[in-house]
Amino acid sequence: MNSPEHLRTLRGFVRRELTGKDDYLDSLAEAPLPLYERFGATGLAGWWLPEEYGGLGLSLEESVRITSELAYADAGVAFTLFIPVLTTSMVQWYGSEELRKEHLGGLAGGGFAATLGSEHAAGSELARIGTTARREGDTVVLDGQKAFSTNTAFARFIVVIARVADDPSGYLAVLVPGDAPGVTVEKRWDVIGLRASATYQVSLSGVRVPAGNVLRGNGLRLLEIGLNASRILIATTALGIARRIRDVCMEYGKSKSVKGAPLTSNAVFASRLGQFEMEIEVMTNQCLAAARAYDAIAARPDAGEEFMRVGTLKSALTTKMFCGQTGWRIASAASEMFGGLGYTHEAVIGKLLRDMRYVSIVEGGDDVLRDLVFSRYVVPVSKRS
């Protein structure tokens, strides 16, 4: 069966822009990389956005296939290109029609969006965030500092999660234009992996936006809902990296001689690669299954209300945890197979190892997600599998 046109276009982009450029993509080059503009020219940018807003309207299941192809070449590029789904899904389900038309429509040509949620002091306890939103007439004023936000410096718009200043139990999600006065990018983090992406520390000082820019619903709940899609795609980057690791190991095995024979004929090497393939197959099926569960809700006429009722999807949590842990085992075992070379910058396996590590850290570390799974899907007997 022939691949869909968008996958053929994607693979052409990967060959032209990413293949063979590991050193450049791992260099923490100035962001955004010029290749992102060229990706926009392919017509694939914002592929998940509804057609009415200029996107291709592709499902999350199809996004898994796209993300795996991108992450095989470079997970940082994949992360940069898909992470706006966290922001746009909140706007799509809970923003006014005016907000959707004005802001979502500008991304399909290659624009970016970002979400500002995490803070240093609050850590994983987002209910403790210090950023505040106060109403002054028909405007909302934001003040605070956010710790980790990818794409912010070049985002067309951002969604800020903030505490209501006069209601400690209230939270808002507020859409802010990227060039709004008072939004200051304080620094770009020198991350150890995903170095083709750009994550920032950002401060907000007297940032004013119309009250109509507040999304409908509790801000923390909206963030939970937005994280469903991005967590599944983060898990998918582990799949793409793992596929690349398998192939890198096979190339190394063909050229490496052990006891007068190629490493590929060694029984220990063969069993390791067989194990990798089994784990890759399960990761693939899990990512696709989680995406289908998400798509089943997204296709409903009352999708926004159903997502609001469900909140965090169990499949999104477990898929990210499983793929992050499994991918790390694959990357760690593969680096050992390279011997001393695996602990240098001479072999690409070191980059792949560093890229893989992020899966179990961003958007909730594994211990945070374990606690979520326990409290929401183990304690309530009716929700257990």
Side-chain angles (χ1 to χ4, degrees):
M1 183 179 296
N2 292 330
S3 298
E5 181 64 30
H6 63 266
L7 284 182
R8 291 195 293 273
T9 300
L10 176 72
R11 288 165 184 158
F13 171 83
V14 169
R15 285 193 301 271
R16 292 190 308 273
E17 303 289 348
L18 307 181
T19 302
K21 298 182 180 179
D22 294 309
D23 289 343
Y24 169 62
L25 297 171
D26 195 38
S27 67
L28 205 73
E30 184 177 354
L33 302 183
L35 65 88
Y36 294 128
E37 183 175 348
R38 296 192 288 272
F39 182 81
T42 67
L44 296 176
W47 64 81
W48 61 86
L49 291 170
E51 293 181 4
E52 63 190 289
Y53 303 121
L56 298 181
L58 297 180
S59 65
L60 195 65
E61 182 177 1
E62 200 59 30
S63 296
V64 164
R65 298 186 176 93
I66 290 171
T67 299
S68 181
E69 293 278 349
L70 287 168
Y72 180 95
D74 188 80
V77 171
F79 188 59
T80 299
L81 292 173
F82 77 68
I83 198 59
V85 73
L86 165 59
T87 316
T88 61
S89 59
M90 290 189 283
V91 177
Q92 179 182 341
W93 303 124
Y94 307 106
S96 66
E97 179 60 24
E98 180 181 355
L99 284 180
R100 294 197 298 269
K101 286 182 177 179
E102 179 180 356
H103 295 284
L104 297 185
L107 298 186
F112 291 91
T115 300
L116 277 67
S118 65
E119 299 179 7
H120 285 298
S124 61
E125 299 177 276
L126 288 175
R128 295 177 52 230
I129 59 175
T131 298
T132 60
R134 69 180 188 277
R135 293 185 183 270
E136 292 186 0
D138 58 355
T139 65
V140 172
V141 184
L142 297 162
D143 291 282
Q145 188 179 75
K146 295 296 185 178
F148 302 103
S149 178
T150 300
N151 294 355
T152 309
F154 47 91
R156 294 195 179 187
F157 68 90
I158 57 181
V159 169
V160 180
I161 308 301
R163 178 191 297 275
V164 178
D166 57 0
D167 179 8
S169 63
Y171 300 88
L172 300 178
V174 185
L175 189 152
V176 178
D179 59 356
V183 178
T184 303
V185 173
E186 296 187 335
K187 71 174 180 179
R188 178 184 177 183
W189 291 95
D190 187 355
V191 292
I192 66 171
L194 299 192
R195 291 166 68 83
S197 66
T199 298
Y200 303 93
Q201 179 170 295
V202 184
S203 66
L204 307 159
S205 179
V207 178
R208 293 178 176 271
V209 296
N213 284 29
V214 176
L215 306 186
R216 174 173 56 88
N218 180 285
L220 293 184
R221 189 65 164 181
L222 269 55
L223 180 61
E224 280 190 32
I225 294 164
L227 288 169
N228 286 321
S230 56
R231 281 173 172 160
I232 292 169
L233 296 183
I234 286 170
T236 303
T237 62
L239 168 62
I241 299 167
R243 291 173 49 237
R244 174 81 181 279
I245 288 173
R246 173 204 58 201
D247 292 352
V248 166
C249 287
M250 279 300 295
E251 292 170 7
Y252 177 70
K254 291 175 183 177
S255 62
K256 177 69 173 178
S257 178
V258 175
K259 297 181 180 179
L263 183 58
T264 50
S265 64
N266 180 277
V268 174
F269 178 88
S271 67
R272 284 287 183 97
L273 269 290
Q275 176 76 14
F276 290 177
E277 191 64 19
M278 177 271 289
E279 291 171 328
I280 287 169
E281 181 72 7
V282 177
M283 291 165 72
T284 302
N285 292 334
Q286 183 60 33
C287 290
L288 290 170
R292 285 193 289 268
Y294 179 95
D295 288 336
I297 298 177
R300 292 173 51 145
D302 62 342
E305 288 69 25
E306 181 63 11
F307 275 124
M308 189 71 78
R309 184 187 71 81
V310 175
T312 298
L313 295 176
K314 182 180 184 180
S315 58
L317 295 174
T318 55
T319 300
K320 181 177 177 295
M321 291 168 63
F322 177 81
C323 289
Q325 294 167 26
T326 304
W328 180 248
R329 286 198 301 271
I330 290 173
S332 180
S335 69
E336 293 176 18
M337 292 163 64
F338 278 73
L341 191 62
Y343 202 57
T344 72
H345 289 292
E346 297 299 314
V348 73
I349 189 64
K351 173 187 181 298
L352 299 175
L353 181 78
R354 288 183 283 106
D355 286 348
M356 184 70 81
R357 196 70 193 103
Y358 101 106
V359 179
S360 292
I361 296 175
V362 305
E363 293 195 357
D366 278 358
D367 282 337
V368 174
L369 300 193
R370 288 185 188 101
D371 184 63
L372 275 173
V373 171
F374 175 75
S375 62
R376 299 192 184 188
Y377 295 103
V378 177
V379 173
V381 176
S382 63
K383 291 189 175 182
R384 296 179 190 169
S385 296

